[in-house]
């Protein structure tokens, strides 16, 4: 079979950086993990979570996933590692390929559950955030099969056929050099699934694990037809490869989960992580309410001075309730001036029946004692305008109460 064009395979599956071998399969897995954590972290923060949470939980999920993927591969392809002429130690050579995605997701979910439980996070919300990143990691991981020249499809002469070296060809077709690049098909399919999940999540606000379930359902559809094209050895059940049956079962479970979850828990989680409020930190303590129910405001310098004056005025007003000047409408401020004048002599001079002379002598006494001249002058003016008859009436009582005022 002559092929006009084809995709070449790498001549070696590893590159030596000095004494350190850099294996293509391992590099693809590592890049996939970084992409999954990066994209999952962005989506988690967008849903209200805290930065770094996805990476912290990945510390649990990734090792569990690698172990689970390897276990699934070894169990389902045990003939490659156990039996006559086989070395069981090869089961540990993970860098040579052999990770089953079904086991990786199952055991990786267990590791993620442990990490989520330690952080007080619901696993479904976390799974929704990382779903597109996981499937992109699969897209990158499939290129590891290209480095190892493994898991390709049936022979073909299409322009995008994959060139396989003689050492890696199936025993049934040793003379055929080109095959379907199933690794490329699955890689492109995974990219499409990632875009589908991102779009559906934005469009329908998927929550409670439904974005992850959509990823699983969509991936299994593509895996089913790609699995049919592969020619590597595999166990068959009722005429189908084991992975085809697995894809069917997982697809049905994912669809059932989407339907049941949408009925029981519609919508999306309002909060995905404890203490992940938008303020980010302790909220400021609310102001203590005043006695009348209104919150207390912090007083500025001007307000504090005004408040102090008001308090003094209130006190002085209380002390002059019984004074004649209060009866005549005198303010507490003028009463304070009388206090500062402080002399019973001045108070006695007011006893003279409302004459301007008595007011003048009171004013003179206040000035002589150093009490505020302007305030006493104002008191004299009010006294002049008060009227002689009313001043005569209240003269005696005002004089007596004014004497008592400074000693109160």
């Amino acid at each position: 079979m002559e092929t006009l064009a084809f995709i070449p395979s790498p001549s070696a599956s590893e590159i030596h950086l000095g004494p350190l071998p850099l294996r293509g399969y391992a590099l693809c897995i590592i890049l996939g993990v970084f992409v999954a954590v990066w994209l999952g972290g962005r989506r988690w923060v967008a849903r209200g979570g805290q930065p770094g949470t996805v990476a912290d939980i990945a510390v649990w999920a990734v090792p569990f996933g690698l172990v689970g993927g390897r276990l699934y591969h070894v169990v389902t392809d045990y003939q490659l590692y156990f039996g006559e002429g086989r070395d069981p130690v090869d089961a540990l050579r993970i860098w040579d390929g052999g990770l089953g995605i079904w086991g990786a997701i199952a055991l990786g979910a267990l590791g993620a559950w442990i990490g989520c439980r330690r952080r007080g996070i619901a696993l479904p919300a976390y799974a929704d955030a990382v779903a597109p990143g996981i499937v992109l990691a699969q897209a990158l991981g499939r290129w590891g099969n290209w480095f190892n020249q493994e898991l390709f499809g049936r022979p073909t002469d299409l322009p995008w056929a994959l060139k396989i070296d003689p050492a890696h060809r199936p025993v049934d077709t040793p003379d055929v050099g080109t095959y379907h690049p199933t690794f490329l098909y699955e890689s492109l399919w995974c990219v499409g699934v990632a875009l589908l999940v991102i779009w559906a999540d934005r469009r329908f606000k998927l929550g409670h694990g439904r974005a992850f379930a959509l990823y699983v359902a969509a991936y299994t559809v593509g895996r089913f037809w790609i699995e049919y094209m592969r020619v590597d050895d595999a166990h068959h059940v009722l005429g189908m490869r084991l992975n085809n049956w697995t894809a069917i079962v997982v697809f049905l479970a994912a669809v059932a989960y989407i339907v049941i979850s949408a009925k029981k828990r519609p919508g999306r989680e309002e909060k995905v992580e404890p203490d992940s409020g938008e303020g980010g930190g302790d909220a400021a303590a609310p102001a203590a309410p005043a006695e009348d129910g209104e919150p207390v405001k912090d007083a500025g310098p001007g307000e504090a001075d005004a408040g102090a004056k008001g308090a003094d005025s209130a006190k002085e007003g209380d002390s002059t309730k019984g004074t004649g000047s209060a009866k005549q409408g005198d303010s507490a401020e003028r009463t304070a001036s009388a206090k500062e004048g402080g002399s019973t002599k001045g108070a006695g001079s007011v006893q003279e029946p409302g004459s301007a002379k008595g007011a003048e002598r009171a004013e003179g006494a206040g000035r002589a004692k150093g009490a505020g001249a302007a305030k006493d002058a104002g008191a004299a003016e009010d006294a002049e305008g008060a009227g002689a008859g009313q001043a005569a009436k209240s003269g005696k009582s005002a004089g007596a109460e004014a004497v008592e005022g400074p000693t109160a």
Side-chain angles (χ1 to χ4, degrees):
M1 185 187 322
E2 185 176 353
T3 305
L4 298 177
F6 57 84
I7 300 172
S9 291
S11 57
S13 61
E14 63 184 24
I15 302 172
H16 287 273
L17 301 176
L20 180 65
L22 180 62
R23 305 182 187 278
Y25 189 89
L27 179 62
C28 292
I29 297 297
I30 293 171
L31 288 176
V33 170
F34 274 108
V35 169
V37 172
W38 170 77
L39 182 57
R42 288 177 60 90
R43 285 172 52 81
W44 182 253
V45 172
R47 293 187 64 171
Q50 298 178 357
T53 296
V54 169
D56 292 343
I57 297 176
V59 172
W60 290 89
V62 171
F64 273 75
L66 292 175
V67 172
R70 189 61 175 177
L71 284 175
Y72 181 88
H73 167 72
V74 171
V75 170
T76 56
D77 289 313
Y78 61 88
Q79 73 280 358
L80 300 177
Y81 307 101
F82 306 99
E84 187 177 355
R86 299 293 182 178
D87 186 1
V89 178
D90 290 342
L92 303 177
R93 298 171 61 88
I94 191 173
W95 53 85
D96 288 336
L99 289 175
I101 187 61
W102 316 111
I105 294 298
L107 213 57
L110 175 60
W113 176 80
I114 295 174
C116 287
R117 185 176 177 83
R118 290 167 60 89
R119 297 288 293 259
I121 294 170
L123 178 61
Y126 180 83
D128 285 340
V130 300
I134 290 176
V135 72
L136 285 179
Q138 291 178 239
L140 289 169
R142 277 304 172 195
W143 285 85
N145 302 139
W146 176 63
F147 279 100
N148 288 345
Q149 298 191 44
E150 61 184 1
L151 304 184
F152 42 84
R154 295 189 296 268
T156 184
D157 59 352
L158 292 171
W160 56 85
L162 177 65
K163 180 73 172 180
I164 298 297
D165 295 338
H168 300 282
R169 295 173 187 172
V171 295
D172 297 338
T173 56
D175 298 330
V176 178
T178 55
Y179 300 81
H180 277 283
T182 51
F183 85 91
L184 179 61
Y185 299 160
E186 186 167 340
S187 180
L188 294 175
W189 182 267
C190 287
V191 173
V193 171
L195 295 176
L196 171 65
V197 173
I198 292 173
W199 171 82
D201 193 27
R202 291 178 179 175
R203 175 66 177 81
F204 302 105
K205 304 296 182 184
L206 302 177
H208 302 287
R210 289 188 287 276
F212 185 84
L214 175 61
Y215 140 64
V216 172
Y219 170 75
T220 54
V221 171
R223 180 63 183 265
F224 185 86
W225 67 267
I226 291 171
E227 193 72 26
Y228 255 121
M229 302 180 67
R230 286 168 44 170
V231 294
D232 54 295
D233 293 334
H235 293 285
H236 287 71
V237 178
L238 300 177
M240 282 199 311
R241 292 166 66 97
L242 177 60
N243 283 336
N244 283 113
W245 286 108
T246 305
I248 291 174
V249 172
V250 174
F251 171 81
L252 294 176
V255 172
Y257 180 88
I258 293 174
V259 174
I260 296 173
S261 174
K263 289 182 178 179
K264 289 188 173 182
R265 307 186 72 180
R268 177 185 283 181
E269 300 90 342
E270 294 182 0
K271 187 176 183 180
V272 296
E273 185 170 1
D275 301 325
S276 60
E278 295 178 1
D282 296 334
E291 291 182 359
D292 59 359
E294 294 183 1
V296 178
K297 293 196 301 182
D298 291 338
E303 294 176 0
D305 293 341
K309 284 184 179 179
D312 292 341
S313 301
K315 286 182 181 178
E316 294 163 359
D318 290 342
S319 67
T320 57
K321 278 182 182 177
T323 65
S325 59
K327 290 179 182 178
Q328 297 171 14
D330 290 344
S331 68
E333 188 174 347
R334 282 193 293 274
T335 306
S337 300
K339 277 187 178 182
E340 292 171 0
S343 147
T344 57
K345 181 178 178 181
S349 66
V350 183
Q351 291 182 28
E352 297 181 19
S355 67
K357 289 183 180 180
E360 288 172 0
R361 278 198 294 272
E363 181 181 347
R367 266 199 301 268
K369 294 288 184 177
K375 291 182 180 178
D376 292 336
E381 288 174 6
D382 288 344
E384 285 176 1
Q390 189 173 352
K393 258 184 205 177
S394 59
K396 290 184 181 180
S397 59
E401 288 171 356
V403 171
E404 294 176 0
T407 62

